[in-house]
Amino acid sequence: MGREEDYTIEPGAVLLGADLSGAYLAEAKLSGADLSGAYLQGANLRGADLSGANLSGATLIGAYLAEAKLSGANLGGAILGGAILFGANLTDANLTGATLQGAYLTEANLGGAVLLGATLTGAYLADANLSGANLSDAHLSGAYLTDANLSGANLTDAHLKGADLTGAHLSDANLSGAILLGANLADANLSGANLSDAKLGGAWLGGAVLLGANLSGANLGGAVLLGANLSGADLSDAHLFGAYLADANLGGADLSGAAMPDGSIHK
């Protein structure tokens, strides 16, 4: 097992490939440090300052990073499965291709972070801030995103099958081509969101707000839109066969070419 006393722990430290597994580094000052390829499995980094640090390719499985400062850090390709990042600051961090399967990111701040192609299956992101984040092609199947802030986020082609987005804020988010099969979007705010060609079959959108949203070509077959507000939404060429639209507000919505719940094509 690596021992932290074997290394110089200070801002800008060079710890490339270091074995710090299980190390106690709570409140450590490592801003700008090079920890690329380092082994930090099970390490305690609670409240540590890792802002601007290079953790690309690092192994942080099960690491404790609650309240850690990781703004602007490079975590590209890092392995953070099961890591605890409760309340961590990851604003503008690079998490491209990172593995965060089952990680705890409740109330974490990921505003402006890049999570392109990242794996977040089953991750806990309740109340997390992901506004303006890039989650294009990210894997979020089964993730918990209740009340998360995803306003203006890029979720193009993201995988969100079975994800829980109850009460999530997705206004002006880009979800074009996203896979949301069976996802729970109850009471979510999707005003102005781009859901063109998204796959929402069997999704729950009861009480969701989709004011002016773009759902052109989207597949909503069997989706539940009970009481949803689709006022001014673009549903042209959308697939609504078998969808449940009771009490939904479709005032001013564009339904041209849409396949309606009864199988008819709207003209």
Side-chain angles (χ1 to χ4, degrees), residues 232-255:
D234 182 359
L235 288 149
S236 57
D237 298 314
H239 179 79
L240 293 156
F241 184 71
Y244 188 67
L245 292 158
D247 298 319
N249 181 358
L250 289 156
D254 181 0
L255 290 155

Side-chain angles (χ1 to χ4, degrees), residues 23-69:
Y24 183 80
L25 294 160
E27 308 292 339
K29 309 299 181 186
L30 286 159
S31 58
D34 185 358
L35 287 146
S36 55
Y39 296 90
L40 289 147
Q41 183 168 333
N44 186 341
L45 289 146
R46 177 186 53 79
D49 185 358
L50 290 149
S51 53
N54 183 2
L55 289 142
S56 59
T59 301
L60 292 132
I61 297 170
Y64 191 74
L65 291 143
E67 308 292 341
K69 303 170 184 67

